[in-house]
Amino acid sequence: EAIQEDEKGSLQASVDDIISKAKKRKLLEKIKNVRLGMMRHLFLIIDMSEAMSDQDLKPTRLLSTLKLLEYFVEEYFDQNPISQLGIIITKNKRAEKVSELGGNPRRHITTLQSLADKVCHGEPSLQNSLELAHQTLRHMPGHASREVLVVMGSLTTCDPDNIISTISMLRDGNVRCSVIGLAAEVCVCKKLCKETHGSYSVILDECHFKDLLTQHVTPPPATASTESSLIRMGFPHHQLSADKEERPSMCMCHLDSKNSQGFSSTGYFCPQCKSKYCELPIECKACGLTLVSAPHLARSYHHLFPLDQFREIPTAQVGSNVLCFSCQTAVQELNVYICDNCERIYCLDCDLFIHETLHSCPGCASSRQTQQSAKMAGFS
Amino acid sequence: MKLNIDGLLVYFPYDYIYPEQYMYMLELKKSLDAKGHCALEMPSGTGKTISLLSLIVAYMKANPLEVTKLIYCSRTVPELEKVVAELKNLMDYYEQQLGKGKPKILGLALSSRKNLCINPEVSQERDGKNVDALCHKLTASFVRTNHKRDATVPVCSFYESYDAHGKEMPLPEGVYGLDELQEYGRKKGFCPYFLARHAITHANIVVYSYYYLLDPKIAEVVSKELSKNAVVVFDEAHNIDNVCIESMSIKITRRTLDKCQQNIDGLSKQIQRLKDCDAERLKTEYQKLVQGLRDANIARETDVILANPVLPDDVLKEAVPGNIRTAEHFLGFMKRFLEYMKIRLRVQHVVSESPPSFLKDCYQKVCIERKPLRFCAERLNSMMRTLELVEIHDFSALSLLCHFATLVSTYAKGFVLIIEPFDDRTPTISNPILHFSCMDASIAIKPVFDRFQTVVITSGTLSPLEMYPRILDFRPVTMATFTMTLARTCICPMVVSKGNDQVAMTSKYETREDVAVIRNYGNLLVEFCSIVPDGIVCFFTSYIYMESTVAAWYEQGILDQVQKHKLLFIETQDAAETSLALLNYQKACENGRGAVLLSVARGKVSEGIDFDHHFGRAVIMFGIPYVYTQSKILKARLEYLRDQYQIRENDFLTFDAMRHAAQCVGRALRGKTDYGIMVFADKRFARADKRSKIPRWIQEYLKDGLCNLSVDEAVQVSKRFLRQMAQPFSREDQLGLSLLTVEQLDQEDTKKKLQSRMQYV
């Protein structure tokens, strides 16, 4: 029988199987030593049309989406410290930029939270929102990666003009567009993603939605047409007012705000012009230097040197009653995964967890010898 | 890949094969071995064409004496081109594998003059009939004789050079599609149409339309010399009985008769003129007619030509009766017959009678006997030739009448005459029509079954299979139906039987006008519009039903709600309008606006237009597409089927409705990577007699749980289905399950699995 049914006669199992296989394949595709677009400029396009008030995600599609996006924005800046993000919403055949490109996660999260009170109505316009994103992304420097991520609940788009020309414009402008659909596969979205080398996916449920968003957190490989250039960066120290003579001052980020927030003696000072900022990463408003902290950059390290893939071998080959090294439970599946360096055995779920989240093999990390050799392998 | 099909080496031009293709070839080989006919059902999009071609070509290569020819009949020109493309693909593979040792195969497509003509003036014409007429004007034998006398008489240079050299120069081996034929014709200066018509007698593979074999008028000209050791394939043959019936039926209106009158007047003038200048010619004709049609009879007895059902055997053995031998007498005879027909059409009420009673009445009223009537068609042809008429096209009305005369006097059984004084829809306007309707599909197809050793009837939707041998009157060697092996369930059939208010959904005649039913159908459409992406195709049971429903929806505001999500397109009876609607429908699907197409089962859209991938993510069947049961012709046919073949009326009606329903919903799925929802919106679909007649590949997924859904439940099922289908799906997922390599095919357990994918009927 081609498709296995479970006892209830449902085909869910076989679909799940395909999904997990796809997951594994995605990991295998991750090649190391590839050039990545680490300086990302990403526009989030959020559909706010009538379809988003549907209740198939709880409580509504919009609220669920916004909540997951909050998490996404945090993760995004966590993993891509030197990147920027902007938010566009589309409803009633129009597109509106609610948050400009910027590196401050908090500002974006507040914007997202404020969106929850707005009403969803009308149809979305994919074309208008893509044009709006392109207007800004067009001016980004050549070495930065330009991306658009659309979260689309509606199955239709109401456009003023032929969207096909917009798609080819985006392709020529080297903008990578990805779409996450909340309901079903729409032809035009598929086309958009294919043309611009983005990825198109449709959610199954909230969990899967989160998975799909997480996939967009890791930086995509740089396309051949992105320029390579050296970037000047400043690494400001956080100065606590050790020095008694230091007077409290306004930081640059809150200069325009009415309240007294940001008025203190502590902060990060730009090494070039001495402007003060209360948080990193940020681009210096006075001299344009990119200010980051060293740990931020270090966090991007694993993207460039991912952990080696584990080898897949049938469980029967290893012997009976195999225990997974990390979760210490007996492996039930047909295949186990073995690390080539420390030769420890893992189950599929642990394998995925290690590669997706930990980025380091617990087996190798537990002894000094393997730790060293792993590091060497990573750099070679 | 090279396959071993029951001991036969088959070259298959792809690296992978679907399991059902393998099974299909096995079954096909069985019937080729047995030299018998077969009926095979395999879902569309699983590579029927290539399986057929590769097996039969391999068979021809292995047994060159047993099977010499493949005649592949398809329905439309695009389908014909598809077959040629597959054939080219196969021959390329042979070349690549065997180099010079590849079999010498000549394959060609034949279509009408309209698609093949390369004469710069004639090919300008758009209408097929005009092209034929213009061509005849330039190529008829007497025109060419005149041309020799008088160079100003125009002729077609392509035909001339073909006639001079083309017949001796056979087409080099290879595969010729319509374009290749035209190209070859241009290069050599030959007429591609006549070249192809000549070449089909010695070609190994001929691809052409059904009508070239089934319509007696055309088959007589084109196909009568095809070799007996041929395999005939009817693809997309689910409607073959209707094609057979249509090709034998005749419709005569008052206009036809008026034209006949003009034709006869014109002819008598011509004869008068000819008599004055060239009486000799008429005399020789007379002599010939005395001789009878003996030549034709000899030819038939020695079995060189295909029998023509219009020209029965005993006509050939006799001389043309004396009273229609001379041209004037014949015209006088026809005049009398025409007057009689005019009287018959002057009726106030519907008349339905059998051919014998018609003949009897005819004899009593105007003293016309049966015998001369039988010779009418032949006699007219002979006269046309003698008179050297150029505008044959103008005499179509008279030749129609002569055909009618011949048929009505030849067949006492299987036909019915129905004279209706007015159209059912417009009972006040007098518009008399005489339907001479064939009720027995086997009459037209009988010569084909008798003559050729193997006839393959195949389609994506042939269920229930056992009906076809009965209505076509043949004995198949194998009848089998194959299901699709799928790595994921990519079809989602469901029967929606009630609205959210629990009112049953049905197109049953009594509840058709019920507001609640119409509203529920409307709700179903609105709900599906909001959850299905891109294109939705809806089928109604008839134009009238569609019109009334759409009007009601407009009043209930349902159309406004639909248009919030998708654009709306409607099929009409006007072909140009419909193709424009289709074009814009596809455009709307392409650019993400989404569209709904409202069309009619049995209409142009339901046959022959594919809605693959995003062009049709869902098909909704509003009601069961029963044929219009009040029609007199249908009633007569049902009665005939009951008396002759013991097929009950209800069985036939359900069979006919279900095959059209299957055909409609099958439009959405055109391959294994495609997916679609099939909604049967009528509670009657859930009944066992209907459900069991749905093709097996759909039935398999129509679980009991999906047979009695309300609108809301259907929406939930569809939503889940669409999300699952949108997950990435690649070839690797299919491999080993629904896609096999040679090695996998050879494994024992695969073979066992394969058996379960097929079912004999």
Side-chain angles (χ1 to χ4, degrees):
Chain A
E1 190 59 50
I3 299 170
Q4 293 298 327
E5 293 177 3
D6 58 18
E7 314 82 73
K8 286 175 213 147
S10 146
L11 296 165
Q12 189 59 45
S14 71
V15 175
D16 284 346
D17 191 37
I18 291 177
I19 294 169
S20 81
K21 266 191 205 155
K23 241 185 204 173
K24 185 72 196 159
R25 208 177 301 134
K26 199 148 277 157
L27 272 183
L28 284 171
E29 276 163 14
K30 211 188 239 177
I31 338 153
K32 58 179 181 174
N33 289 337
V34 82
R35 241 185 91 207
L36 297 174
M38 301 279 275
M39 271 191 96
R40 303 173 68 183
H41 292 89
L42 175 76
F43 261 112
L44 269 180
I45 298 178
I46 306 172
D47 178 5
M48 295 265 287
S49 66
E50 214 179 332
M52 290 300 278
S53 48
D54 198 315
Q55 300 191 334
D56 55 358
L57 298 179
K58 300 293 173 208
T60 66
R61 280 187 187 174
L62 181 73
L63 295 179
S64 172
T65 306
L66 291 177
K67 200 156 169 43
L68 286 170
L69 282 178
E70 271 177 42
Y71 157 81
F72 169 75
V73 169
E74 263 172 36
E75 277 294 290
Y76 174 83
F77 283 109
D78 192 47
Q79 305 258 338
N80 307 281
I82 46 176
S83 301
Q84 295 192 322
L85 186 111
I87 299 173
I88 292 173
I89 60 165
T90 169
K91 61 173 163 186
N92 212 10
K93 304 176 188 113
R94 290 192 184 82
E96 185 192 344
K97 198 187 287 178
V98 286
S99 156
E100 284 286 348
L101 266 190
N104 186 344
R106 225 164 290 164
R107 182 162 56 92
H108 296 307
I109 289 173
T110 355
T111 319
L112 284 176
Q113 278 161 349
S114 73
L115 287 179
D117 308 331
K118 294 201 175 169
V119 217
C120 301
H121 69 111
E123 294 127 327
S125 170
L126 195 57
Q127 190 186 21
N128 282 340
S129 33
L130 287 174
E131 298 259 359
L132 189 61
H134 184 248
Q135 271 170 22
T136 318
L137 288 176
R138 207 169 38 173
H139 303 298
M140 290 302 129
H143 57 78
S145 86
R146 305 162 190 184
E147 292 171 63
V148 170
L149 175 63
V150 189
V151 179
M152 187 90 165
S154 168
L155 294 171
T156 123
T157 154
C158 194
D159 299 326
D161 201 1
N162 190 359
I163 193 163
I164 309 296
S165 59
T166 311
I167 292 177
S168 48
M169 183 181 76
L170 288 167
R171 188 194 51 214
D172 297 340
N174 207 8
V175 180
R176 192 186 132 102
C177 305
S178 300
V179 180
I180 296 180
L182 301 189
E185 184 184 76
V186 181
C187 165
V188 74
C189 296
K190 202 173 178 185
K191 194 169 191 169
L192 168 74
C193 298
K194 204 172 160 218
E195 289 274 312
T196 60
H197 308 289
S199 69
Y200 181 45
S201 34
V202 175
I203 65 159
L204 289 170
D205 48 28
E206 278 98 338
C207 262
H208 190 226
F209 192 5
K210 198 171 170 183
D211 278 351
L212 292 174
L213 279 174
T214 323
Q215 278 171 24
H216 288 281
V217 168
T218 47
T223 47
S225 47
T226 32
E227 297 162 18
S228 42
S229 60
L230 294 170
I231 301 162
R232 279 170 73 94
M233 280 190 188
F235 296 91
H237 284 287
H238 189 240
Q239 283 189 359
L240 298 164
S241 48
D243 197 349
K244 287 275 156 40
E245 288 164 36
E246 193 69 53
R247 261 162 285 168
S249 60
M250 258 332 254
C251 69
M252 292 293 278
C253 16
H254 293 101
L255 209 53
D256 299 333
S257 63
K258 295 280 187 301
N259 54 17
S260 60
Q261 195 190 0
F263 186 72
S264 68
S265 56
T266 59
Y268 299 98
F269 290 86
C270 170
Q272 196 162 261
C273 64
K274 299 286 178 218
S275 328
K276 194 179 93 168
Y277 296 95
C278 59
E279 62 172 26
L280 293 179
I282 204 160
E283 191 172 303
C284 176
K285 282 187 180 168
C287 63
L289 189 69
T290 312
L291 303 178
V292 291
S293 74
H296 280 146
L297 271 189
R299 259 204 311 257
S300 312
Y301 166 82
H302 71 82
H303 295 311
L304 292 171
F305 303 106
L307 184 61
D308 279 336
Q309 279 310 312
F310 293 166
R311 195 152 39 87
E312 186 183 80
I313 49 171
T315 315
Q317 225 176 67
V318 188
S320 57
N321 199 15
V322 189
L323 289 183
C324 165
F325 179 72
S326 77
C327 62
Q328 293 297 324
T329 51
V331 181
Q332 304 293 339
E333 292 109 348
L334 283 175
N335 292 317
V336 288
Y337 300 86
I338 187 162
C339 169
D340 279 332
N341 196 24
C342 64
E343 301 193 330
R344 306 279 192 198
I345 291 164
Y346 301 96
C347 62
L348 175 66
D349 288 332
C350 288
D351 176 25
L352 290 175
F353 177 69
I354 289 166
H355 281 95
E356 278 169 359
T357 316
L358 279 184
H359 306 294
S360 91
C361 166
C364 299
S366 58
S367 88
R368 176 138 305 175
Q369 194 195 348
T370 45
Q371 214 175 3
Q372 289 298 326
S373 65
K375 204 168 272 174
M376 296 310 290
F379 281 113
S380 61
Chain B
M1 63 203 265
K2 285 177 213 157
L3 299 166
N4 176 2
I5 306 281
D6 192 19
L8 178 73
L9 175 68
V10 173
Y11 287 78
F12 191 75
Y14 299 103
D15 293 336
Y16 303 99
I17 185 168
Y18 293 142
E20 53 272 30
Q21 285 182 313
Y22 178 76
M23 297 307 294
Y24 188 88
M25 289 201 238
L26 272 180
E27 288 309 308
L28 194 57
K29 168 139 194 308
K30 266 187 214 163
S31 39
L32 286 179
D33 283 338
K35 294 200 167 69
H37 313 310
C38 63
L40 303 171
E41 179 189 59
M42 184 156 98
S44 42
T46 49
K48 251 189 321 267
T49 310
I50 191 62
S51 317
L52 271 165
L53 288 175
S54 31
L55 185 93
I56 295 177
V57 169
Y59 201 90
M60 287 192 332
K61 186 170 166 274
N63 313 306
L65 295 175
E66 309 261 306
V67 174
T68 53
K69 203 190 223 17
L70 163 64
I71 304 169
Y72 197 108
C73 300
S74 186
R75 274 191 317 188
T76 58
V77 175
E79 274 169 20
L80 196 137
E81 295 277 16
K82 255 190 261 170
V83 177
V84 172
E86 289 279 23
L87 182 61
K88 271 184 208 151
N89 195 354
L90 178 67
M91 293 327 286
D92 288 348
Y93 183 70
Y94 265 107
E95 168 121 44
Q96 184 197 327
Q97 292 292 315
L98 296 177
K100 286 209 171 126
K102 67 164 185 162
K104 294 192 185 341
I105 294 272
L106 172 62
L108 70 121
L110 177 64
S111 182
S112 63
R113 290 184 177 85
K114 188 184 120 197
N115 297 319
L116 277 173
C117 184
I118 52 171
N119 185 308
E121 279 147 39
V122 180
S123 55
Q124 294 284 314
E125 282 291 335
R126 290 274 181 76
D127 186 36
K129 272 186 186 163
N130 290 344
V131 176
D132 288 353
L134 275 177
C135 180
H136 185 257
K137 217 169 175 178
L138 295 176
T139 56
S141 56
F142 45 87
V143 175
R144 297 175 52 228
T145 346
N146 286 350
H147 175 76
K148 273 178 202 145
R149 274 202 310 262
D150 174 8
T152 54
V153 176
V155 289
C156 174
S157 63
F158 294 103
Y159 183 77
E160 290 302 313
S161 82
Y162 158 73
D163 197 51
H165 315 288
K167 280 181 182 160
E168 290 82 51
M169 247 173 47
L171 266 176
E173 66 185 74
V175 179
Y176 298 87
L178 299 180
D179 293 340
E180 283 84 4
L181 278 172
Q182 283 185 325
E183 199 181 309
Y184 182 80
R186 273 200 200 98
K187 206 171 74 194
K188 299 269 178 180
F190 294 162
C191 171
Y193 175 74
F194 284 98
L195 187 74
R197 257 184 52 180
H198 178 67
I200 61 168
T201 50
H202 61 262
N204 306 90
I205 297 170
V206 181
V207 186
Y208 61 26
S209 148
Y210 278 18
Y211 292 95
Y212 287 98
L213 212 51
L214 291 182
D215 190 329
K217 280 158 269 168
I218 312 175
E220 172 71 16
V221 187
V222 179
S223 308
K224 69 176 179 186
E225 286 174 3
L226 294 181
S227 129
K228 227 176 118 56
N229 302 336
V231 178
V232 177
V233 176
F234 288 104
D235 197 0
E236 303 287 325
H238 46 271
N239 253 349
I240 194 163
D241 56 319
N242 289 341
V243 176
C244 293
I245 282 173
E246 262 166 46
S247 69
M248 296 292 283
S249 298
I250 286 172
K251 202 166 78 180
I252 293 174
T253 60
R254 188 170 282 163
R255 263 192 69 178
T256 325
L257 294 183
D258 290 345
K259 272 197 186 149
C260 282
Q261 186 70 55
Q262 289 168 13
N263 289 167
I264 290 179
D265 292 348
L267 280 176
S268 42
K269 266 180 217 149
Q270 292 271 355
I271 290 170
Q272 202 52 49
R273 219 179 44 227
L274 194 65
K275 226 175 171 183
D276 294 343
C277 59
D278 192 4
E280 194 55 37
R281 214 155 69 196
L282 285 174
K283 260 184 211 155
T284 35
E285 189 201 13
Y286 185 87
Q287 285 306 320
K288 262 193 218 156
L289 294 177
V290 175
Q291 261 269 311
L293 303 164
R294 239 165 252 151
D295 298 345
N297 188 33
I298 291 164
R300 187 174 290 184
E301 268 172 4
T302 50
D303 205 24
V304 271
I305 57 170
L306 177 74
N308 181 351
V310 178
L311 196 66
D313 275 339
D314 40 342
V315 170
L316 298 173
K317 294 195 183 107
E318 294 170 59
V320 175
N323 60 346
I324 57 169
R325 250 180 243 166
T326 67
E328 288 122 317
H329 289 166
F330 175 60
L331 277 188
F333 175 85
M334 281 315 291
K335 239 184 225 166
R336 239 177 332 140
F337 186 61
L338 180 64
E339 285 310 317
Y340 172 69
M341 290 298 290
K342 278 187 182 162
I343 298 169
R344 290 308 305 265
L345 274 189
R346 229 170 277 145
V347 286
Q348 295 304 317
H349 53 91
V350 179
V351 179
S352 167
E353 63 181 348
S354 65
S357 87
F358 174 85
L359 289 175
K360 196 177 163 207
D361 188 56
C362 184
Y363 181 69
Q364 281 168 351
K365 294 249 171 68
V366 286
C367 289
I368 288 182
E369 286 178 1
R370 180 164 166 253
K371 197 172 167 197
L373 274 180
R374 299 180 70 179
F375 287 86
C376 274
E378 260 320 287
R379 182 64 190 90
L380 183 73
N381 277 345
S382 153
M383 186 157 85
M384 295 289 213
R385 278 196 299 271
T386 320
L387 291 179
E388 302 186 345
L389 291 173
V390 184
E391 272 90 15
I392 280 197
H393 181 51
D394 295 348
F395 292 94
S396 57
L398 188 59
S399 66
L400 189 73
L401 189 69
C402 287
H403 261 113
F404 165 70
T406 309
L407 281 174
V408 78
S409 50
T410 308
Y411 290 101
K413 254 177 41 179
F415 284 84
V416 69
L417 267 143
I418 291 167
I419 307 171
E420 287 180 317
F422 45 73
D423 200 327
D424 269 347
R425 266 173 289 177
T426 51
T428 48
I429 305 161
S430 161
N431 177 26
I433 300 176
L434 182 141
H435 297 278
F436 181 63
S437 172
C438 175
M439 299 184 295
D440 192 342
S442 65
I443 294 177
I445 205 169
K446 189 169 180 293
V448 177
F449 280 125
D450 287 349
R451 178 168 175 80
F452 300 109
Q453 62 179 30
T454 302
V455 176
V456 182
I457 297 210
T458 185
S459 172
T461 51
L462 273 183
S463 294
L465 265 174
E466 65 275 8
M467 191 60 108
Y468 286 88
R470 284 167 82 184
I471 53 177
L472 296 178
D473 195 19
F474 73 107
R475 235 176 254 113
V477 179
T478 49
M479 281 201 293
T481 167
F482 305 88
T483 58
M484 243 197 231
T485 39
L486 295 169
R488 55 170 192 175
T489 24
C490 65
I491 57 176
C492 179
M494 55 177 102
V495 176
V496 181
S497 58
K498 50 189 187 270
N500 293 334
D501 52 2
Q502 301 301 315
V503 173
M505 268 197 211
T506 174
S507 68
K508 210 156 59 178
Y509 196 75
E510 298 81 51
T511 57
R512 229 171 226 211
E513 305 299 320
D514 191 344
V515 187
V517 172
I518 296 179
R519 195 184 50 233
N520 273 335
Y521 272 147
N523 279 339
L524 177 72
L525 182 62
V526 170
E527 290 291 328
F528 267 83
C529 280
S530 64
I531 59 151
V532 175
D534 302 325
I536 299 182
V537 191
C538 304
F539 289 100
F540 289 86
T541 52
S542 68
Y543 282 107
I544 307 168
Y545 184 49
M546 177 164 84
E547 273 162 33
S548 68
T549 311
V550 171
W553 281 352
Y554 177 76
E555 276 164 21
Q556 293 171 352
I558 281 169
L559 291 191
D560 289 336
Q561 278 172 278
V562 168
Q563 276 174 318
K564 263 188 212 164
H565 301 285
K566 297 200 186 294
L567 302 182
L568 198 63
F569 296 94
I570 297 184
E571 180 191 9
T572 61
Q573 266 150 320
D574 182 341
E577 222 170 62
T578 303
S579 52
L580 187 70
L582 261 175
L583 193 78
N584 284 315
Y585 168 81
Q586 287 171 342
K587 218 163 142 191
C589 293
E590 286 279 350
N591 63 24
R593 185 66 188 89
V596 181
L597 182 69
L598 303 182
S599 53
V600 171
R602 294 161 201 279
K604 185 187 165 219
V605 170
S606 71
E607 294 275 331
I609 291 170
D610 290 350
F611 296 97
D612 49 347
H613 294 103
H614 56 281
F615 293 129
R617 284 296 180 217
V619 178
I620 306 176
M621 190 79 232
F622 290 115
I624 299 182
Y626 279 117
V627 67
Y628 175 59
T629 44
Q630 298 308 307
S631 137
K632 304 276 176 328
I633 302 171
L634 181 75
K635 277 184 177 162
R637 188 174 175 207
L638 289 176
E639 213 163 279
Y640 182 80
L641 285 173
R642 192 190 54 207
D643 296 348
Q644 292 297 316
Y645 295 114
Q646 289 76 49
I647 298 170
R648 281 186 307 159
E649 281 105 330
N650 231 333
D651 281 351
F652 183 79
L653 285 176
T654 314
F655 152 75
D656 186 64
M658 289 314 290
R659 70 170 161 182
H660 278 102
Q663 198 43 223
C664 292
V665 296
R667 296 283 111 201
L669 196 81
R670 276 354 231 180
K672 291 194 175 183
T673 52
D674 200 357
Y675 62 90
I677 302 171
M678 301 167 171
V679 184
F680 296 94
D682 192 312
K683 69 167 187 191
R684 290 173 293 170
F685 277 115
R687 286 189 202 154
D689 64 323
K690 315 280 186 307
R691 213 174 130 191
S692 63
K693 289 189 172 72
I694 298 174
R696 193 166 164 244
W697 57 277
I698 299 178
Q699 222 182 98
E700 205 176 29
Y701 297 101
L702 187 58
K703 297 269 151 45
D704 286 339
L706 293 172
C707 273
N708 187 16
L709 301 181
S710 70
V711 173
D712 271 351
E713 287 161 342
V715 164
Q716 290 311 321
V717 171
S718 310
K719 264 186 171 176
R720 198 169 57 232
F721 172 76
L722 285 168
R723 285 206 173 122
Q724 281 175 2
M725 285 304 116
Q727 301 312 314
F729 180 66
S730 63
R731 184 147 84 183
E732 285 76 49
D733 295 326
Q734 288 191 46
L735 211 65
L737 294 175
S738 59
L739 206 60
L740 302 175
T741 59
V742 184
E743 296 80 42
Q744 284 166 332
L745 206 55
D746 285 340
Q747 288 159 11
E748 268 313 303
D749 56 328
T750 332
K751 282 191 178 151
K752 259 180 232 150
K753 263 191 221 161
L754 286 178
Q755 287 299 334
S756 70
R757 312 307 302 170
M758 188 192 64
Q759 184 181 319
Y760 291 109
V761 178

